[in-house]
Amino acid sequence: MPVASRFAACAPSVRLFAIAAVAAIALSGCVTKPPAPPPPPPPAETGTVPTHPLTENKPTFLNLANIPSDHTPVRVGIILPFNSSVAPVKALSAAMLKAAQLAMYDAGNKDILLMTADEGATAESAEAAAVKLLDQGAEIIVGPLYAPSVRAISHEARDRGVPVLAFSTDRNVAGDGIYLLGFLPEYDTTRVANYALAQGRHTFAALVPSTAYGDVTLDALKGAVTAGKGEMGEVQRFAGTVDTVLAPATTMAKTDADALFVPLGGPVLRAAAPTLGTAGLNRDKVKLLGTGIWNDPANTQEPTLSGAWFAAPDPKAEASFDDKYRGAFGANPPSLAALAYDAIALVAVLAKGEPYKRFTRAALGDPNGFSGVEGIFRFAPDGTAERGLAILTLGADGFHVVDPAPTTFVKPGS
């Protein structure tokens, strides 16, 4: 369904930008002509003031033979570890570039010019990649993949006033013109905790690894439970390995809480879950809760996880993008490919504005957000991506949606 018709019934004040997985990209059907991007906020709100801002098209910027010299294309820099010595990382980078090209094709905007540079394996190589793209006239940068690389390019990007849409999930590198497209575990945690509270769960226990991921998710759980006037019960921490999870899982099987948060994935989750079951977890009383790392088909075969809840994108939305990518390239996409698609699709939406004034912080930070191939998202003031996630449950026949993902950030009555 074309984007314009999908949003035709919404109120005129809503500026939900749409990035459709199967259709051309357009503004919401609430408008017939894209408005100019709002002016940037005053300097006090923008953070670092660029000292060498890109303000005009220059002859030294990268151009193609078929682009008139007096025309300004939408130059988009892409930084990924294209030449990584690690084969899976190199393959991931190639797939993400394909997804970006697919988004450009779907947008139908022939003005978009993708320019690539290799992230390399060091902060220095990432910074050099950013300098290369900025010198070629990039108005916006997509990537890098890793947090140290994002940190390394941030100074150069801010110095030119060029925003960065990065793929890291380390919120410490976000903000002041650096935006993270990745799924952050604290948003998964908050979503599933809020849903559990709404379903009458009151006391929460947690089995959490002593890792950075565990720290982030536990903090988010405590914050959500406190805000929802619930209670935190026992918390068991462990080293985060299969061998070290068994004893604390046995202990937590006897919890008096009515919700047990288990932010584990892979073999560690599949070791903890049966241990909880055999140790006597009362599944009639205690609801197991997880995060997006539960989104692994192998977990559906674990009986103890049957009926548990976790937050993730709607499986149908993911399947739709997978089908589209597979149809174009004859292979299944890696999970991060959808983020690369969204990045370029978002660029295409905002590219309708005036050159060098279209990717403003006000435009990227629109509180109404955007609609990506895996659901709606918007950038919070700190540069992280808040996403509209569904609540899924597990069964032997797969994942099922028990609470749909929201389709708008506009709250009823607002």
Side-chain angles (χ1 to χ4, degrees):
M1 177 185 295
V3 175
S5 60
R6 181 181 300 177
F7 291 101
C10 56
S13 62
V14 178
R15 291 183 62 244
L16 177 68
F17 289 108
I19 303 171
V22 189
I25 301 169
L27 283 172
S28 158
C30 307
V31 294
T32 57
K33 182 179 180 180
E45 298 179 22
T46 59
T48 301
V49 177
T51 53
H52 301 88
L54 297 181
T55 57
E56 61 182 342
N57 197 17
K58 296 181 180 179
T60 55
F61 289 168
L62 185 67
N63 226 24
L64 298 180
N66 61 343
I67 299 178
S69 59
D70 61 348
H71 182 73
T72 304
V74 186
R75 297 184 179 93
V76 183
I78 300 181
I79 301 177
L80 288 169
F82 295 109
N83 299 319
S84 175
S85 60
V86 181
V89 174
K90 185 175 183 179
L92 170 63
S93 300
M96 293 178 75
L97 179 60
K98 288 179 179 178
Q101 293 167 334
L102 183 60
M104 184 175 68
Y105 174 82
D106 285 348
N109 187 337
K110 297 181 181 179
D111 276 348
I112 296 177
L113 175 58
L114 300 184
M115 311 182 304
T116 62
D118 184 51
E119 180 175 343
T122 66
E124 291 76 16
S125 59
E127 183 178 11
V131 170
K132 171 189 172 183
L133 294 173
L134 291 166
D135 287 346
Q136 291 177 335
E139 281 191 68
I140 190 167
I141 289 176
V142 174
L145 188 61
Y146 298 113
S149 298
V150 178
R151 185 177 291 108
I153 75 167
S154 60
H155 172 73
E156 291 291 344
R158 289 168 181 149
D159 185 54
R160 310 284 185 101
V162 171
V164 174
L165 305 179
F167 301 113
S168 169
T169 56
D170 182 354
R171 69 184 310 136
N172 294 313
V173 299
D176 198 10
I178 311 297
Y179 303 89
L180 303 186
L181 281 161
F183 287 77
L184 270 64
E186 48 264 56
Y187 288 123
D188 297 7
T189 302
T190 300
R191 171 72 165 108
V192 74
N194 286 341
Y195 179 74
L197 286 161
Q199 301 307 304
R201 305 289 164 169
H202 181 73
T203 305
F204 292 70
L207 175 61
V208 182
S210 297
T211 61
Y213 185 89
D215 294 342
V216 167
T217 54
L218 182 58
D219 285 347
L221 176 69
K222 290 178 178 178
V225 170
T226 299
K229 302 190 184 309
E231 294 181 4
M232 279 299 305
E234 183 178 1
V235 176
Q236 284 278 332
R237 305 298 298 268
F238 68 103
T241 65
V242 170
D243 291 340
T244 58
V245 75
L246 303 181
T250 300
T251 299
M252 294 308 292
K254 309 300 182 183
T255 181
D256 291 329
D258 50 20
L260 175 58
F261 180 57
V262 187
L264 310 176
V268 180
L269 175 61
R270 290 189 286 275
T275 301
L276 288 168
T278 56
L281 179 72
N282 185 348
R283 292 171 57 204
D284 292 331
K285 175 190 175 185
V286 183
K287 177 65 71 173
L288 291 177
L289 309 177
T291 62
I293 57 174
W294 280 24
N295 197 9
D296 178 349
N299 293 334
T300 62
Q301 303 307 307
E302 173 48 56
T304 304
L305 296 177
S306 179
W309 296 329
F310 70 99
D314 189 309
K316 289 183 179 178
E318 290 186 315
S320 179
F321 173 73
D322 290 353
D323 289 344
K324 185 178 185 64
Y325 183 98
R326 194 180 303 112
F329 303 113
N332 293 321
S335 59
L336 292 182
L339 299 184
Y341 183 103
D342 279 354
I344 300 304
L346 172 56
V347 166
V349 169
L350 298 183
K352 298 174 176 66
E354 181 181 353
Y356 306 108
K357 296 181 181 179
R358 44 194 161 202
F359 302 118
T360 65
R361 297 189 184 190
L364 287 163
D366 189 308
N368 293 305
F370 311 92
S371 182
V373 294
E374 293 184 311
I376 62 172
F377 68 95
R378 65 180 175 184
F379 293 116
D382 66 357
T384 61
E386 177 186 355
R387 293 184 173 271
L389 301 171
I391 296 296
L392 308 183
T393 190
L394 301 84
D397 57 346
F399 301 118
H400 302 278
V401 175
V402 295
D403 191 51
T407 56
T408 178
F409 287 110
V410 178
K411 297 182 179 179
S414 61

